[in-house]
Amino acid sequence: MSIVHILQAELELTGPGAVTAPEAHTVASVLRPDLPLARDGWGNPYLPGTSLTGSLRHQTPPDRRRALFGDVFKDPDNTSRNGREETTAIASPVRVLGTRLTLPDTPVTHRRHTAVDRHRAAAKATTLHDRELLPPGTELTLWLRIDSETTVSPLVDEVLELLRGWRPRIGGGRTTGYGRAELITVRHRVIDLSTPAGLHHWLTTGGPGLVDDQATVVHDRAQRAGGAPDEPYVFGRALQFRIADAVHIGTGTSAERSGRRGGVAKILRDHENVPVIPGSTWKGVLRARVEFILRSVGIGDVCASVEDNTSGSCGTCVVCEAFGWSERPGRAANGAEPSKTVGARGRLLFADSPVRGGEVRVRNHVAIDRVFGGARDEALYSEETVEDGHLTLHIRHDKAVPDLIRAALVLALKDLADGAIGIGGGTTRGYGTLTAQPTTADWLTAERTSAMDTLRAHHRPTSPAPAQATEEAPA
Ligand SMILES: [Zn+2]
């Protein structure tokens, strides 16, 4: 143990990051978000080391995870006298010394999420929640320590190789585009405690100072453009759309207007103030449509994740497997067996789509008085919308996506391009219609036939036609 290796990795968030405090599962108030960021004792945002090493562990080949990062597991080779498997713990040879988080000048942002009731085509009651996010451009530093007997250690080389190819994903909401980060640099400082210089360095410096100018730069973003590649696209491509009318995706806040009653409902914008369609909107709309398509063609056993009566995702169907699911209270009340886990992350990853070249307008609306006709008093409201403009939809995956889901997703996207479903608010008022750009439209038309064939191949004629087939399209 005479050689200490300190590895320092610097990362930068390329999108918003959601590292939720573990104490967050409390009732929120007007002043407090439902899902606040994890913070240290001084109120500064803080990133637990486990959040970063969890991401690194996830990208380690499965057969090396235990050797590099340790594990706690039921050991079949280690049974007690009554034949029960004992829990075995293996310590990680890679030690996490700590993390540091540097915020850019932009403040911590918030996003509100809600679920949509498909019958009313409006936000469902009690589903609004507020999430606090780290802004893009936040820098994160991670320090790891590995001890070895010799200067050259295969273990250190393996971890360095792993860091070099790392595609860091931090915190929650990864399937809706949160927590994407890029590696800036990786430094490696060898401290030989058997030499006076090494011992002096070890004893007189501490913390971040241990990695000084004698460290070797193992990776530098400036010299290797692009960094680690992104997760692959589900369809091998990004999809291009254009806004056909106007889109309103609200933030749940409104701006005051001078001299007029009521505010203007603001649209969601990213850190560069560009209107944005969040990954969570794509995921919600496409999931609802995929469920609808699969049930309509009689492929049963697909749950209705936001249906009122079934309250929540089942956790066993093919849609839950691809889109993820979470345990919700009330599910077990149906007489269903309560599941052993609390949910699983989806395989599909949806990113935010900034709307480029669009124009932001304020539209005024008024409610109609149904008894007397005409406009109702004090019912004027205004909202920002983004009109024209084009956007790119990125659907990636980090595990294999079932053929059935891929096919249903093609048909859902075709419906989106044909205007059968819309995104954002006010779809019943003609908002939220998109059209596909020519190359994407051609691709969707070409893929449609094979998608239909896939659905036909999965169709079991014995299953009864589902009652939900007449259900309205989601908002
Ligand atoms: Zn399900």
Side-chain angles (χ1 to χ4, degrees), residues 287 291 301-304 313-321 325:
R287 175 177 193 151
E291 287 175 2
D301 313 334
V302 172
C303 69
S313 35
C314 69
T316 51
C317 74
V318 70
V319 178
C320 284
E321 187 189 348
W325 61 281

Side-chain angles (χ1 to χ4, degrees), residues 325-396:
W325 61 281
S326 60
E327 183 67 77
R328 290 198 202 153
R331 210 175 72 86
N334 298 340
E337 184 100 338
S339 69
K340 292 191 179 68
T341 53
V342 291
R345 188 152 67 83
R347 297 166 169 225
L348 294 164
L349 311 170
F350 296 87
D352 288 357
S353 302
V355 179
R356 308 281 176 194
E359 197 180 330
V360 176
R361 289 225 179 96
V362 174
R363 289 193 180 197
N364 297 311
H365 299 271
V366 72
I368 296 297
D369 190 317
R370 295 190 195 181
V371 178
F372 300 102
R376 192 142 44 124
D377 283 347
E378 298 188 15
L380 181 74
Y381 65 100
S382 307
E383 57 193 2
E384 277 188 340
T385 58
V386 54
E387 300 179 18
D388 305 319
H390 52 92
L391 49 103
T392 305
L393 168 58
H394 304 274
I395 311 176
R396 298 187 168 90

Side-chain angles (χ1 to χ4, degrees), residues 272-456:
E272 288 166 329
N273 210 30
V274 176
V276 67
I277 294 169
S280 57
T281 293
W282 292 121
K283 187 179 175 184
V285 165
L286 291 171
R287 175 177 193 151
R289 194 63 180 178
V290 162
E291 287 175 2
F292 172 70
I293 289 168
L294 292 180
R295 284 199 311 269
S296 302
V297 298
I299 295 170
D301 313 334
V302 172
C303 69
S305 59
V306 291
E307 203 74 28
D308 286 312
N309 307 330
T310 52
S311 59
S313 35
C314 69
T316 51
C317 74
V318 70
V319 178
C320 284
E321 187 189 348
F323 284 85
W325 61 281
S326 60
E327 183 67 77
R328 290 198 202 153
R331 210 175 72 86
N334 298 340
E337 184 100 338
S339 69
K340 292 191 179 68
T341 53
V342 291
R345 188 152 67 83
R347 297 166 169 225
L348 294 164
L349 311 170
F350 296 87
D352 288 357
S353 302
V355 179
R356 308 281 176 194
E359 197 180 330
V360 176
R361 289 225 179 96
V362 174
R363 289 193 180 197
N364 297 311
H365 299 271
V366 72
I368 296 297
D369 190 317
R370 295 190 195 181
V371 178
F372 300 102
R376 192 142 44 124
D377 283 347
E378 298 188 15
L380 181 74
Y381 65 100
S382 307
E383 57 193 2
E384 277 188 340
T385 58
V386 54
E387 300 179 18
D388 305 319
H390 52 92
L391 49 103
T392 305
L393 168 58
H394 304 274
I395 311 176
R396 298 187 168 90
H397 64 110
D398 62 357
K399 278 188 235 159
V401 176
D403 280 351
L404 191 59
I405 292 296
R406 194 183 182 280
L409 208 46
V410 168
L411 298 178
L413 289 163
K414 185 88 176 79
D415 286 347
L416 185 73
D418 292 343
I421 52 171
I423 51 162
T427 48
T428 54
R429 286 181 275 129
Y431 281 3
T433 311
L434 302 180
T435 48
Q437 301 277 39
T439 47
T440 296
D442 292 349
W443 177 81
L444 282 171
T445 311
E447 285 284 306
R448 191 174 173 274
T449 320
S450 65
M452 300 282 272
D453 290 344
T454 307
L455 291 195
R456 262 185 220 110

Side-chain angles (χ1 to χ4, degrees), residues 93-117:
V94 181
R95 284 190 255 175
V96 184
L97 295 183
T99 62
R100 181 170 287 183
L101 198 150
T102 317
L103 288 173
D105 292 336
T106 44
V108 166
T109 53
H110 288 255
R111 262 192 207 180
R112 290 183 183 179
H113 295 261
T114 186
V116 165
D117 183 317

Side-chain angles (χ1 to χ4, degrees), residues 19-69:
V19 183
T20 308
E23 68 277 14
H25 302 284
T26 52
V27 178
S29 69
V30 177
L31 299 174
R32 213 167 35 159
D34 304 72
L35 297 170
L37 286 172
R39 287 173 192 275
D40 63 16
W42 291 268
N44 298 314
Y46 157 79
L47 186 76
T50 48
S51 185
L52 281 173
T53 43
S55 162
L56 192 58
R57 188 180 202 275
H58 184 75
Q59 282 174 40
T60 308
D63 57 324
R64 294 296 298 155
R65 281 181 195 165
R66 193 170 282 174
L68 291 177
F69 297 101

